[in-house]
Amino acid sequence: MDNGLERELLGLATAGVDAALAAGADQAEAYVSATRQLKVAFAKNDIDSVGSNRETTLGIRVIKDHRLGFVTTNNPATLQDTAKNVVAMAKASPPDEMNGLPQPQVVPETAALVHPDLASLDAESLAKIGSEALAMVLGLRDPRLPDARLTIDMMGLEVSDKTHAVVSSTGVRQAHRSAAASGDIFGMGILDAVPGSFSYDGDAVRDPAKLAVTLDRAFRRFAKKCFGALGATAGDSFRGPILIPADALGEFLVGHLAQALSADSVRQGTSPFAGRLGQ
């Protein structure tokens, strides 16, 4: 993927905006994403599958009489019909005077987010890194519980190369490309045939040379959490401070608090933070 693809996607997004305006939209925005993915999956402590895919997706958002419509398609050949459908959807939606597209803003220059060596990570390379990481994890032991073992339900490695483009009738026009290699692992510890709690960990890098060591660090964190969940006993009830693991706190902050703080939730009155700006 190169700048030629960025120009192609900007052209497709522009065509989407033009089609939506021609279909009767007051304002229109088109977002196009082209993705190339290579995946190696492991399951039940062994390699499971290898696959790759390429996909281009187009989304069109329109405003018609303060009514919002949005549709997506992965078939650019249906652009004209897609534009007509999204305008029809907007006409059938309830109006909201706050609906409208943003004006263009200055976008600061950023460092390149595509490492030139990422293309060298093919299926064979990923499978090798994954197999070595899996063997490392399965060989780990906890000094407290020498008979405990880890079992891996799912583990995956992926190389993802994405190019995005957005164009709107208000003057927004921008494209961006990024690529990364990542891995994640999901499983649990077992002691005397008694399983502990499931755990998960993973990480991503832009430099492929750092993938193996980064996954080694993430997968060791995973093992530590799994072993820590074994041999649990009943605790005494108490009132006082507790320590919450970082990933559990992150789930609360990102999954629940962020949703409650979203503009839509606040504006629609479904957030407990509505009307509390500055408090």
Side-chain angles (χ1 to χ4, degrees):
M1 296 184 177
D2 54 25
N3 290 334
L5 180 57
E6 291 186 2
R7 290 192 294 271
E8 178 184 336
L9 298 188
L10 284 170
L12 179 57
T14 300
V17 170
D18 292 342
L21 294 176
D26 298 329
Q27 293 182 316
E29 176 187 78
Y31 171 81
V32 187
S33 175
T35 303
R36 178 184 70 86
Q37 291 178 312
L38 173 64
K39 298 182 179 181
V40 177
F42 297 78
K44 303 299 182 183
N45 300 335
D46 201 357
I47 191 165
D48 181 60
S49 63
V50 178
S52 64
N53 71 284
R54 294 174 181 265
E55 183 177 40
T56 298
T57 303
L58 167 67
I60 300 179
R61 178 169 56 161
V62 303
I63 307 295
K64 175 66 177 178
D65 297 328
H66 297 291
R67 302 170 188 267
L68 175 66
F70 178 76
V71 297
T72 62
T73 178
N74 60 1
N75 184 3
T78 64
L79 182 61
Q80 300 301 322
D81 289 337
T82 299
K84 293 176 182 178
N85 291 337
V86 70
V87 173
M89 182 182 296
K91 291 179 178 179
S93 300
D96 187 326
E97 64 178 12
M98 299 300 291
N99 281 337
L101 298 181
Q103 296 297 315
Q105 299 182 22
V106 177
V107 178
E109 292 291 333
T110 58
L113 297 180
V114 182
H115 196 285
D117 294 337
L118 268 175
S120 65
L121 277 179
D122 54 14
E124 182 178 356
S125 301
L126 279 186
K128 182 176 184 296
I129 294 173
S131 297
E132 292 174 350
L134 179 62
M136 180 276 294
V137 172
L138 293 177
L140 292 175
R141 295 292 181 267
D142 188 330
R144 301 180 305 110
L145 307 167
D147 295 327
R149 297 292 185 272
L150 294 172
T151 180
I152 310 305
D153 278 55
M154 292 181 293
M155 188 183 94
L157 275 69
E158 176 180 325
V159 175
S160 179
D161 192 336
K162 300 180 180 180
T163 302
H164 312 274
V166 59
V167 175
S168 78
S169 59
T170 60
V172 173
R173 184 179 178 84
Q174 191 62 249
H176 172 71
R177 181 189 171 198
S178 64
S182 62
D184 54 66
I185 190 168
F186 176 78
M188 61 183 174
I190 298 178
L191 177 63
D192 297 331
V194 179
S197 299
F198 281 105
S199 191
Y200 164 90
D201 214 313
D203 211 335
V205 297
R206 299 202 183 276
D207 183 352
K210 299 178 180 178
L211 180 61
V213 66
T214 299
L215 294 185
D216 181 89
R217 187 163 52 243
F219 291 1
R220 288 180 185 274
R221 287 197 305 264
F222 157 81
K224 183 177 181 180
K225 289 184 286 186
C226 287
F227 286 133
L230 295 173
T233 59
D236 296 328
S237 298
F238 79 101
R239 289 182 178 275
I242 62 172
L243 293 176
I244 301 177
D247 49 357
L249 180 61
E251 180 67 24
F252 168 74
L253 292 176
V254 176
H256 301 288
L257 185 60
Q259 177 60 34
L261 287 170
S262 72
D264 281 342
S265 296
V266 172
R267 182 169 57 83
Q268 294 168 6
T270 60
S271 168
F273 300 102
R276 297 188 177 184
L277 185 64
Q279 297 182 23

